[in-house]
Amino acid sequence: LFPYTTLFRSRMWVKQADVDDGVVPGVSSAEEQRVKELEQENRELRRANEVLKRAASFFGAELDRHYRK
């Protein structure tokens, strides 16, 4: 099992190096890292938006209650 795993990882490393060098088509390591960073930022922004929506809803309801009295 161990030699097969090492061989497989070596092949994957060589393949990724070829992609990074532009020898074969594919997504480079830098592009893949950038996509991961953008996806993480997107998740964080979605969470922040959800918090802001809930806060706006809460404070809007509070203001509405004060004006109806």
Side-chain angles (χ1 to χ4, degrees), residues 44-63:
E44 291 171 5
L45 290 172
R46 287 181 190 272
R47 282 188 213 117
N49 265 349
E50 188 59 35
V51 168
L52 291 172
K53 284 180 189 177
R54 290 180 184 200
S57 177
F58 174 78
F59 289 117
E62 286 292 313
L63 288 174

Side-chain angles (χ1 to χ4, degrees), residues 9-53:
R9 288 184 184 186
S10 297
R11 285 182 182 166
M12 293 303 293
W13 182 83
V14 169
K15 180 180 177 185
Q16 188 61 51
D18 286 344
V19 170
D20 291 345
D21 293 341
V23 177
V24 295
V27 179
S28 71
S29 297
E31 291 171 332
E32 186 175 342
Q33 181 62 33
R34 182 66 179 143
V35 167
K36 286 180 182 180
E37 291 169 359
L38 290 171
E39 287 173 342
Q40 176 65 29
E41 183 180 354
N42 196 3
R43 281 191 297 276
E44 291 171 5
L45 290 172
R46 287 181 190 272
R47 282 188 213 117
N49 265 349
E50 188 59 35
V51 168
L52 291 172
K53 284 180 189 177

